[in-house]
Amino acid sequence: LFEVSVPYTRSLRIDRGQWVKNYRLYFNSTHWVTHIVQGPDGRQWYAIKDSYGRNYYARTGHLRKIEASELAPISPETPRNQKWIEVLVEDQELRAYEQGEIVMQTRISSGLPLNRELEPGELPTETPLGDFHITVKTVCRHMGESHFTDQLDSGAYPGVPWVCFFDKDGYSLHGTYWHNNFGNRMSHGCVNMRCEDAKWLYRWALPPAQPEDWQISGWGIRVSVRP
């Protein structure tokens, strides 16, 4: 697992034997690297495998390896019913509790309501209220538009880090590298967090994940989303 360590880097992909421009990858986004190749400039490039199983490439000097020590689970021995997460929509705040004590409290950005009627099959952009459980955790996930593009204004978000899914429709808690407007509703339904906060929560929340895990599933801790 690697993360982008520069403000941004332009990834490339191979299309019909030619190297072409692809996504811009931003600081703190995370990416699963499979091997190293020689790029079109003669330098070493990392081969990235995304959550769709596709490959593209980024300069080795622009990503850093995330060491296993950074991913070790935090207090995994604490029983599941002694850890829980509370999301307060009105306050735009997340609180993590362990044995009744707040162990993390941070500003978030939850879902911004649409100002139009939903299209058939379209999911609400407000974060759903209620009690849920984390069921899937992954260190990186491609979100938004799925097609390859080199356009900066696209709706594609490659390498979204530290994702904890808590709802069957795909709503999650995750790190957010594309804005810093926490404390205001900004998302399409997920709970946006600062990347460093999301990383801590990913390590702390059950089910536990080991450093070598790209994705794990299991019945995890409760996530209560309140008005």
PDB file of all heavy atoms in Angstrom, residues 87 89 110-111 124-132 166-172 187-191 223-227:
ATOM      1  N   VAL A  87     -22.327   9.919  14.610  1.00  0.00           N
ATOM      2  CA  VAL A  87     -22.237  11.012  13.641  1.00  0.00           C
ATOM      3  C   VAL A  87     -23.387  11.974  13.923  1.00  0.00           C
ATOM      4  O   VAL A  87     -24.553  11.572  13.893  1.00  0.00           O
ATOM      5  CB  VAL A  87     -22.311  10.490  12.194  1.00  0.00           C
ATOM      6  CG1 VAL A  87     -22.305  11.657  11.203  1.00  0.00           C
ATOM      7  CG2 VAL A  87     -21.142   9.544  11.909  1.00  0.00           C
ATOM      8  N   VAL A  89     -25.270  15.025  12.564  1.00  0.00           N
ATOM      9  CA  VAL A  89     -25.415  15.759  11.314  1.00  0.00           C
ATOM     10  C   VAL A  89     -25.532  17.259  11.550  1.00  0.00           C
ATOM     11  O   VAL A  89     -24.889  18.064  10.861  1.00  0.00           O
ATOM     12  CB  VAL A  89     -26.628  15.217  10.519  1.00  0.00           C
ATOM     13  CG1 VAL A  89     -26.906  16.091   9.304  1.00  0.00           C
ATOM     14  CG2 VAL A  89     -26.371  13.777  10.086  1.00  0.00           C
ATOM     15  N   SER A 110     -20.961  15.687   5.999  1.00  0.00           N
ATOM     16  CA  SER A 110     -21.936  14.658   5.622  1.00  0.00           C
ATOM     17  C   SER A 110     -22.624  15.069   4.320  1.00  0.00           C
ATOM     18  O   SER A 110     -22.231  16.028   3.658  1.00  0.00           O
ATOM     19  CB  SER A 110     -22.936  14.433   6.746  1.00  0.00           C
ATOM     20  OG  SER A 110     -23.753  15.578   6.921  1.00  0.00           O
ATOM     21  N   GLY A 111     -23.670  14.326   3.958  1.00  0.00           N
ATOM     22  CA  GLY A 111     -24.300  14.506   2.661  1.00  0.00           C
ATOM     23  C   GLY A 111     -25.058  15.813   2.512  1.00  0.00           C
ATOM     24  O   GLY A 111     -25.792  16.237   3.407  1.00  0.00           O
ATOM     25  N   PRO A 124     -30.419   8.938  -2.484  1.00  0.00           N
ATOM     26  CA  PRO A 124     -30.383  10.247  -1.836  1.00  0.00           C
ATOM     27  C   PRO A 124     -28.948  10.661  -1.533  1.00  0.00           C
ATOM     28  O   PRO A 124     -28.096   9.818  -1.245  1.00  0.00           O
ATOM     29  CB  PRO A 124     -31.181  10.023  -0.551  1.00  0.00           C
ATOM     30  CG  PRO A 124     -32.020   8.814  -0.806  1.00  0.00           C
ATOM     31  CD  PRO A 124     -31.221   7.956  -1.729  1.00  0.00           C
ATOM     32  N   THR A 125     -28.681  11.941  -1.584  1.00  0.00           N
ATOM     33  CA  THR A 125     -27.343  12.445  -1.273  1.00  0.00           C
ATOM     34  C   THR A 125     -27.217  12.885   0.183  1.00  0.00           C
ATOM     35  O   THR A 125     -26.145  13.320   0.593  1.00  0.00           O
ATOM     36  CB  THR A 125     -26.973  13.614  -2.199  1.00  0.00           C
ATOM     37  OG1 THR A 125     -27.956  14.649  -2.055  1.00  0.00           O
ATOM     38  CG2 THR A 125     -26.913  13.169  -3.648  1.00  0.00           C
ATOM     39  N   GLU A 126     -28.291  12.795   0.941  1.00  0.00           N
ATOM     40  CA  GLU A 126     -28.198  13.033   2.379  1.00  0.00           C
ATOM     41  C   GLU A 126     -27.704  11.760   3.058  1.00  0.00           C
ATOM     42  O   GLU A 126     -28.091  10.651   2.692  1.00  0.00           O
ATOM     43  CB  GLU A 126     -29.559  13.412   2.954  1.00  0.00           C
ATOM     44  CG  GLU A 126     -30.089  14.744   2.472  1.00  0.00           C
ATOM     45  CD  GLU A 126     -31.422  15.084   3.124  1.00  0.00           C
ATOM     46  OE1 GLU A 126     -31.399  15.462   4.309  1.00  0.00           O
ATOM     47  OE2 GLU A 126     -32.452  14.955   2.454  1.00  0.00           O
ATOM     48  N   THR A 127     -26.858  11.904   4.055  1.00  0.00           N
ATOM     49  CA  THR A 127     -26.401  10.753   4.821  1.00  0.00           C
ATOM     50  C   THR A 127     -27.587  10.146   5.563  1.00  0.00           C
ATOM     51  O   THR A 127     -28.323  10.861   6.249  1.00  0.00           O
ATOM     52  CB  THR A 127     -25.315  11.176   5.822  1.00  0.00           C
ATOM     53  OG1 THR A 127     -24.255  11.830   5.110  1.00  0.00           O
ATOM     54  CG2 THR A 127     -24.757   9.972   6.557  1.00  0.00           C
ATOM     55  N   PRO A 128     -27.813   8.837   5.415  1.00  0.00           N
ATOM     56  CA  PRO A 128     -28.990   8.235   6.053  1.00  0.00           C
ATOM     57  C   PRO A 128     -28.877   8.264   7.572  1.00  0.00           C
ATOM     58  O   PRO A 128     -27.794   8.086   8.141  1.00  0.00           O
ATOM     59  CB  PRO A 128     -28.973   6.790   5.525  1.00  0.00           C
ATOM     60  CG  PRO A 128     -27.552   6.529   5.158  1.00  0.00           C
ATOM     61  CD  PRO A 128     -27.015   7.835   4.668  1.00  0.00           C
ATOM     62  N   LEU A 129     -30.016   8.516   8.213  1.00  0.00           N
ATOM     63  CA  LEU A 129     -30.082   8.526   9.670  1.00  0.00           C
ATOM     64  C   LEU A 129     -30.414   7.142  10.182  1.00  0.00           C
ATOM     65  O   LEU A 129     -31.103   6.359   9.516  1.00  0.00           O
ATOM     66  CB  LEU A 129     -31.137   9.526  10.145  1.00  0.00           C
ATOM     67  CG  LEU A 129     -30.977  10.978   9.695  1.00  0.00           C
ATOM     68  CD1 LEU A 129     -32.138  11.817  10.226  1.00  0.00           C
ATOM     69  CD2 LEU A 129     -29.646  11.562  10.148  1.00  0.00           C
ATOM     70  N   GLY A 130     -29.943   6.832  11.389  1.00  0.00           N
ATOM     71  CA  GLY A 130     -30.273   5.548  12.001  1.00  0.00           C
ATOM     72  C   GLY A 130     -29.050   4.869  12.575  1.00  0.00           C
ATOM     73  O   GLY A 130     -27.967   5.447  12.680  1.00  0.00           O
ATOM     74  N   ASP A 131     -29.247   3.612  12.953  1.00  0.00           N
ATOM     75  CA  ASP A 131     -28.169   2.792  13.515  1.00  0.00           C
ATOM     76  C   ASP A 131     -27.729   1.765  12.484  1.00  0.00           C
ATOM     77  O   ASP A 131     -28.554   1.029  11.925  1.00  0.00           O
ATOM     78  CB  ASP A 131     -28.637   2.090  14.788  1.00  0.00           C
ATOM     79  CG  ASP A 131     -28.861   3.065  15.933  1.00  0.00           C
ATOM     80  OD1 ASP A 131     -28.060   4.010  16.059  1.00  0.00           O
ATOM     81  OD2 ASP A 131     -29.832   2.883  16.691  1.00  0.00           O
ATOM     82  N   PHE A 132     -26.434   1.706  12.258  1.00  0.00           N
ATOM     83  CA  PHE A 132     -25.851   0.821  11.261  1.00  0.00           C
ATOM     84  C   PHE A 132     -24.653   0.117  11.894  1.00  0.00           C
ATOM     85  O   PHE A 132     -24.314   0.357  13.043  1.00  0.00           O
ATOM     86  CB  PHE A 132     -25.393   1.624  10.038  1.00  0.00           C
ATOM     87  CG  PHE A 132     -26.440   2.548   9.475  1.00  0.00           C
ATOM     88  CD1 PHE A 132     -26.559   3.854   9.957  1.00  0.00           C
ATOM     89  CD2 PHE A 132     -27.302   2.121   8.482  1.00  0.00           C
ATOM     90  CE1 PHE A 132     -27.523   4.709   9.436  1.00  0.00           C
ATOM     91  CE2 PHE A 132     -28.270   2.966   7.965  1.00  0.00           C
ATOM     92  CZ  PHE A 132     -28.388   4.264   8.445  1.00  0.00           C
ATOM     93  N   PHE A 166     -20.840   1.314   5.971  1.00  0.00           N
ATOM     94  CA  PHE A 166     -21.762   1.016   7.071  1.00  0.00           C
ATOM     95  C   PHE A 166     -23.197   0.830   6.604  1.00  0.00           C
ATOM     96  O   PHE A 166     -24.085   0.608   7.434  1.00  0.00           O
ATOM     97  CB  PHE A 166     -21.703   2.112   8.147  1.00  0.00           C
ATOM     98  CG  PHE A 166     -22.117   3.490   7.674  1.00  0.00           C
ATOM     99  CD1 PHE A 166     -23.450   3.855   7.634  1.00  0.00           C
ATOM    100  CD2 PHE A 166     -21.164   4.422   7.294  1.00  0.00           C
ATOM    101  CE1 PHE A 166     -23.845   5.118   7.226  1.00  0.00           C
ATOM    102  CE2 PHE A 166     -21.533   5.690   6.888  1.00  0.00           C
ATOM    103  CZ  PHE A 166     -22.872   6.045   6.840  1.00  0.00           C
ATOM    104  N   ASP A 167     -23.458   0.886   5.306  1.00  0.00           N
ATOM    105  CA  ASP A 167     -24.834   0.797   4.813  1.00  0.00           C
ATOM    106  C   ASP A 167     -24.847  -0.005   3.520  1.00  0.00           C
ATOM    107  O   ASP A 167     -23.912   0.067   2.721  1.00  0.00           O
ATOM    108  CB  ASP A 167     -25.388   2.206   4.574  1.00  0.00           C
ATOM    109  CG  ASP A 167     -26.784   2.202   3.992  1.00  0.00           C
ATOM    110  OD1 ASP A 167     -27.742   1.986   4.771  1.00  0.00           O
ATOM    111  OD2 ASP A 167     -26.919   2.374   2.771  1.00  0.00           O
ATOM    112  N   LYS A 168     -25.911  -0.754   3.304  1.00  0.00           N
ATOM    113  CA  LYS A 168     -26.002  -1.628   2.139  1.00  0.00           C
ATOM    114  C   LYS A 168     -25.989  -0.875   0.816  1.00  0.00           C
ATOM    115  O   LYS A 168     -25.661  -1.443  -0.233  1.00  0.00           O
ATOM    116  CB  LYS A 168     -27.274  -2.477   2.219  1.00  0.00           C
ATOM    117  CG  LYS A 168     -28.568  -1.674   2.224  1.00  0.00           C
ATOM    118  CD  LYS A 168     -29.779  -2.571   2.327  1.00  0.00           C
ATOM    119  CE  LYS A 168     -31.071  -1.756   2.388  1.00  0.00           C
ATOM    120  NZ  LYS A 168     -31.292  -0.913   1.201  1.00  0.00           N
ATOM    121  N   ASP A 169     -26.345   0.400   0.828  1.00  0.00           N
ATOM    122  CA  ASP A 169     -26.344   1.189  -0.406  1.00  0.00           C
ATOM    123  C   ASP A 169     -24.989   1.841  -0.697  1.00  0.00           C
ATOM    124  O   ASP A 169     -24.864   2.612  -1.649  1.00  0.00           O
ATOM    125  CB  ASP A 169     -27.433   2.262  -0.352  1.00  0.00           C
ATOM    126  CG  ASP A 169     -28.827   1.672  -0.462  1.00  0.00           C
ATOM    127  OD1 ASP A 169     -28.997   0.689  -1.218  1.00  0.00           O
ATOM    128  OD2 ASP A 169     -29.747   2.183   0.200  1.00  0.00           O
ATOM    129  N   GLY A 170     -23.985   1.546   0.122  1.00  0.00           N
ATOM    130  CA  GLY A 170     -22.640   2.012  -0.165  1.00  0.00           C
ATOM    131  C   GLY A 170     -22.196   3.259   0.557  1.00  0.00           C
ATOM    132  O   GLY A 170     -21.117   3.787   0.275  1.00  0.00           O
ATOM    133  N   TYR A 171     -22.991   3.749   1.499  1.00  0.00           N
ATOM    134  CA  TYR A 171     -22.559   4.900   2.287  1.00  0.00           C
ATOM    135  C   TYR A 171     -21.417   4.476   3.224  1.00  0.00           C
ATOM    136  O   TYR A 171     -21.426   3.366   3.764  1.00  0.00           O
ATOM    137  CB  TYR A 171     -23.709   5.480   3.095  1.00  0.00           C
ATOM    138  CG  TYR A 171     -24.849   5.994   2.246  1.00  0.00           C
ATOM    139  CD1 TYR A 171     -26.032   5.274   2.103  1.00  0.00           C
ATOM    140  CD2 TYR A 171     -24.746   7.212   1.573  1.00  0.00           C
ATOM    141  CE1 TYR A 171     -27.079   5.745   1.324  1.00  0.00           C
ATOM    142  CE2 TYR A 171     -25.787   7.694   0.797  1.00  0.00           C
ATOM    143  CZ  TYR A 171     -26.952   6.953   0.666  1.00  0.00           C
ATOM    144  OH  TYR A 171     -27.989   7.418  -0.111  1.00  0.00           O
ATOM    145  N   SER A 172     -20.458   5.369   3.413  1.00  0.00           N
ATOM    146  CA  SER A 172     -19.267   5.002   4.177  1.00  0.00           C
ATOM    147  C   SER A 172     -18.683   6.202   4.901  1.00  0.00           C
ATOM    148  O   SER A 172     -19.035   7.359   4.634  1.00  0.00           O
ATOM    149  CB  SER A 172     -18.206   4.399   3.245  1.00  0.00           C
ATOM    150  OG  SER A 172     -17.721   5.391   2.347  1.00  0.00           O
ATOM    151  N   SER A 187     -20.840  16.193   0.890  1.00  0.00           N
ATOM    152  CA  SER A 187     -20.708  14.919   0.181  1.00  0.00           C
ATOM    153  C   SER A 187     -21.983  14.522  -0.540  1.00  0.00           C
ATOM    154  O   SER A 187     -23.017  15.182  -0.459  1.00  0.00           O
ATOM    155  CB  SER A 187     -20.306  13.823   1.175  1.00  0.00           C
ATOM    156  OG  SER A 187     -21.448  13.322   1.855  1.00  0.00           O
ATOM    157  N   HIS A 188     -21.895  13.414  -1.245  1.00  0.00           N
ATOM    158  CA  HIS A 188     -23.044  12.803  -1.908  1.00  0.00           C
ATOM    159  C   HIS A 188     -23.688  11.730  -1.033  1.00  0.00           C
ATOM    160  O   HIS A 188     -24.380  10.860  -1.541  1.00  0.00           O
ATOM    161  CB  HIS A 188     -22.629  12.206  -3.252  1.00  0.00           C
ATOM    162  CG  HIS A 188     -22.341  13.245  -4.290  1.00  0.00           C
ATOM    163  ND1 HIS A 188     -21.792  12.946  -5.517  1.00  0.00           N
ATOM    164  CD2 HIS A 188     -22.525  14.581  -4.279  1.00  0.00           C
ATOM    165  CE1 HIS A 188     -21.654  14.060  -6.222  1.00  0.00           C
ATOM    166  NE2 HIS A 188     -22.089  15.056  -5.488  1.00  0.00           N
ATOM    167  N   GLY A 189     -23.427  11.779   0.261  1.00  0.00           N
ATOM    168  CA  GLY A 189     -24.052  10.852   1.192  1.00  0.00           C
ATOM    169  C   GLY A 189     -23.095  10.217   2.177  1.00  0.00           C
ATOM    170  O   GLY A 189     -23.475   9.845   3.285  1.00  0.00           O
ATOM    171  N   CYS A 190     -21.834  10.063   1.768  1.00  0.00           N
ATOM    172  CA  CYS A 190     -20.843   9.498   2.684  1.00  0.00           C
ATOM    173  C   CYS A 190     -20.463  10.527   3.742  1.00  0.00           C
ATOM    174  O   CYS A 190     -20.809  11.698   3.648  1.00  0.00           O
ATOM    175  CB  CYS A 190     -19.600   9.059   1.914  1.00  0.00           C
ATOM    176  SG  CYS A 190     -19.866   7.606   0.857  1.00  0.00           S
ATOM    177  N   VAL A 191     -19.726  10.057   4.739  1.00  0.00           N
ATOM    178  CA  VAL A 191     -19.202  10.935   5.777  1.00  0.00           C
ATOM    179  C   VAL A 191     -17.743  11.224   5.437  1.00  0.00           C
ATOM    180  O   VAL A 191     -16.878  10.358   5.571  1.00  0.00           O
ATOM    181  CB  VAL A 191     -19.329  10.296   7.175  1.00  0.00           C
ATOM    182  CG1 VAL A 191     -18.698  11.189   8.231  1.00  0.00           C
ATOM    183  CG2 VAL A 191     -20.795  10.031   7.503  1.00  0.00           C
ATOM    184  N   VAL A 223     -22.519   2.231  14.060  1.00  0.00           N
ATOM    185  CA  VAL A 223     -22.415   3.615  13.602  1.00  0.00           C
ATOM    186  C   VAL A 223     -23.808   4.233  13.745  1.00  0.00           C
ATOM    187  O   VAL A 223     -24.743   3.820  13.053  1.00  0.00           O
ATOM    188  CB  VAL A 223     -21.941   3.723  12.143  1.00  0.00           C
ATOM    189  CG1 VAL A 223     -21.896   5.183  11.696  1.00  0.00           C
ATOM    190  CG2 VAL A 223     -20.567   3.070  11.974  1.00  0.00           C
ATOM    191  N   SER A 224     -23.957   5.195  14.635  1.00  0.00           N
ATOM    192  CA  SER A 224     -25.236   5.856  14.855  1.00  0.00           C
ATOM    193  C   SER A 224     -25.195   7.239  14.209  1.00  0.00           C
ATOM    194  O   SER A 224     -24.370   8.075  14.593  1.00  0.00           O
ATOM    195  CB  SER A 224     -25.534   5.984  16.344  1.00  0.00           C
ATOM    196  OG  SER A 224     -25.682   4.710  16.943  1.00  0.00           O
ATOM    197  N   VAL A 225     -26.065   7.464  13.230  1.00  0.00           N
ATOM    198  CA  VAL A 225     -26.131   8.759  12.549  1.00  0.00           C
ATOM    199  C   VAL A 225     -27.366   9.490  13.079  1.00  0.00           C
ATOM    200  O   VAL A 225     -28.501   9.030  12.897  1.00  0.00           O
ATOM    201  CB  VAL A 225     -26.215   8.586  11.019  1.00  0.00           C
ATOM    202  CG1 VAL A 225     -26.198   9.960  10.349  1.00  0.00           C
ATOM    203  CG2 VAL A 225     -25.071   7.723  10.509  1.00  0.00           C
ATOM    204  N   ARG A 226     -27.143  10.605  13.746  1.00  0.00           N
ATOM    205  CA  ARG A 226     -28.200  11.356  14.400  1.00  0.00           C
ATOM    206  C   ARG A 226     -28.459  12.683  13.680  1.00  0.00           C
ATOM    207  O   ARG A 226     -27.552  13.240  13.065  1.00  0.00           O
ATOM    208  CB  ARG A 226     -27.815  11.649  15.850  1.00  0.00           C
ATOM    209  CG  ARG A 226     -27.498  10.399  16.682  1.00  0.00           C
ATOM    210  CD  ARG A 226     -28.675   9.453  16.730  1.00  0.00           C
ATOM    211  NE  ARG A 226     -28.416   8.275  17.541  1.00  0.00           N
ATOM    212  CZ  ARG A 226     -28.921   7.082  17.305  1.00  0.00           C
ATOM    213  NH1 ARG A 226     -29.719   6.912  16.254  1.00  0.00           N
ATOM    214  NH2 ARG A 226     -28.647   6.076  18.090  1.00  0.00           N
ATOM    215  N   PRO A 227     -29.692  13.204  13.758  1.00  0.00           N
ATOM    216  CA  PRO A 227     -30.005  14.488  13.120  1.00  0.00           C
ATOM    217  C   PRO A 227     -29.102  15.605  13.655  1.00  0.00           C
ATOM    218  O   PRO A 227     -28.596  15.539  14.758  1.00  0.00           O
ATOM    219  CB  PRO A 227     -31.477  14.719  13.496  1.00  0.00           C
ATOM    220  CG  PRO A 227     -32.011  13.384  13.869  1.00  0.00           C
ATOM    221  CD  PRO A 227     -30.867  12.622  14.436  1.00  0.00           C
TER     222      PRO A 227
END
